[in-house]
Amino acid sequence: MFELRLLCPEDRVEPVSDALEALEALSVSVEDADEGTGAERALFGEPGLPPPAQSWSRSRVVALFAHEAGAREAAALLAPQDFFAGCEVRAIAPVAEQDWVRLTQSQFEPVPITSAFWIVPTWHDVPAEATHVIRLDPGLAFGTGTHPTTRMCLRWIAAHPPAGQRVLDYGCGSGILAIGAALHGAAAVDAVDIDEAAVQSTRDNAAANGVQLMVGLPDRAQGLYGTVLANILATPLKVLAPLLCGHVAPGGALVLAGVLERQTGELQAAYAPWLALEVADAEDGWVLLVARRD
């Protein structure tokens, strides 16, 4: 296979990408051409809302072709087009043969949550200092411990062990928060998600970690819980405010993640009729919001 690598200004990325797909590129990816420099810029968006920008001011567009001839033909056809103005061909190069399984595994190292609490892929040895370990491999569902929102939730669980409590993980993804709660002494954990793939992933990961979870669709969540965890995104969290608050037992905690720092006020206002959210942690532009019921 061969890569056609282009450098495009922001307003050219969409038409160029569309043209590459029409020219039978096997895939088209867009990256920040300034990644790793002082000009690198993060783009955050939420489901159901338009992203703040479609791409970066200087975008690296990489198209994959089955054969070199296809990549060269695409470059030749793009060059005279009006929408290609300001773009440039950086390279046409073969894709090196690789052991993709080994490469993927190499990108996922053990993740320390605290000095004693780690997420460890199955192909790695457990660190000697780890007393609480979640064995978790990358899969179909969100939540491998590498994202700041997941790490903040797990840090909170480690600092506030739900020993003897009933815990709800709403929007469980891979089940990582539910498993973390179970490992820290929760008496019972309900893990729910609207995605069947996430439900199955959570069941599989719970079995692999030797913990007992009650897993299912959202209607499985019933009654009151000592800890309610929801690592989703700001927009669905606002919609879910009355439901999630209604599941928090007296003296219990509501823990929300998936919220950008600039969205803190919106979430606090949405939950104010029921609970007072406070920022309990922050990392890389994300915050962890926590409320206690009196």
Side-chain angles (χ1 to χ4, degrees):
M1 291 190 290
F2 281 76
E3 285 182 341
L4 169 60
R5 301 174 195 155
L6 309 171
L7 182 65
C8 300
E10 182 178 338
D11 63 343
R12 305 296 183 180
V13 169
E14 186 171 359
V16 168
S17 298
D18 290 344
L20 287 166
E21 291 178 1
L23 291 168
E24 300 185 349
L26 300 176
S27 67
V28 179
S29 61
V30 182
E31 305 164 355
D32 186 355
D34 295 314
E35 180 184 3
T37 73
E40 181 177 358
R41 179 166 59 99
L43 297 180
F44 295 112
E46 291 202 40
L49 295 177
Q54 294 293 332
S55 54
W56 295 269
S57 56
R58 283 171 22 96
S59 292
R60 184 187 305 115
V61 179
V62 181
L64 186 64
F65 289 87
H67 306 286
E68 182 179 6
R72 294 197 177 280
E73 181 182 13
L77 290 171
L78 286 172
Q81 306 302 321
D82 291 343
F83 60 76
F84 200 69
C87 302
E88 58 182 276
V89 176
R90 283 298 179 91
I92 296 174
V95 178
E97 292 291 332
Q98 299 197 59
D99 182 338
W100 293 105
V101 171
R102 189 176 297 276
L103 177 63
T104 300
Q105 290 181 346
S106 71
Q107 296 171 348
F108 291 90
E109 296 290 327
V111 177
I113 302 304
T114 69
S115 58
F117 184 19
W118 290 69
I119 298 116
V120 184
T122 56
W123 54 82
H124 280 283
D125 292 333
V126 175
E129 63 270 35
T131 58
H132 292 79
V133 176
I134 299 177
R135 285 292 210 175
L136 195 67
D137 295 340
L140 293 175
F142 173 83
T144 59
T146 59
H147 196 273
T149 60
T150 308
R151 290 199 300 271
M152 287 191 293
C153 287
L154 291 171
R155 279 201 298 266
W156 191 92
I157 290 169
H160 306 83
Q165 292 183 15
R166 191 167 180 245
V167 174
L168 173 62
D169 180 3
Y170 199 97
C172 56
S174 66
I176 189 169
L177 303 186
I179 294 168
L183 291 176
H184 283 82
V189 183
D190 287 348
V192 303
D193 203 292
I194 61 173
D195 186 347
E196 290 282 5
V199 169
Q200 187 58 51
S201 178
T202 296
R203 288 195 181 106
D204 294 343
N205 288 328
N209 282 276
V211 299
Q212 190 77 28
L213 305 179
M214 280 61 74
V215 187
L217 297 175
D219 59 2
R220 176 175 284 277
Q222 299 289 330
L224 300 177
Y225 298 84
T227 299
V228 176
L229 306 160
N231 182 14
I232 314 176
L233 284 170
T235 297
L237 284 175
K238 285 191 285 187
V239 174
L240 290 167
L243 184 149
L244 294 176
C245 292
H247 282 307
V248 181
L254 175 65
V255 182
L256 305 181
V259 180
L260 296 169
E261 287 182 358
R262 60 178 170 80
Q263 298 168 324
T264 300
E266 298 173 39
L267 267 293
Q268 289 174 324
Y271 280 75
W274 300 278
L275 292 170
L277 291 171
E278 299 291 340
V279 176
D281 201 351
E283 184 178 342
D284 292 345
W286 300 89
V287 295
L288 185 75
L289 298 176
V290 177
R292 288 276 183 185
R293 184 178 294 285
D294 295 333

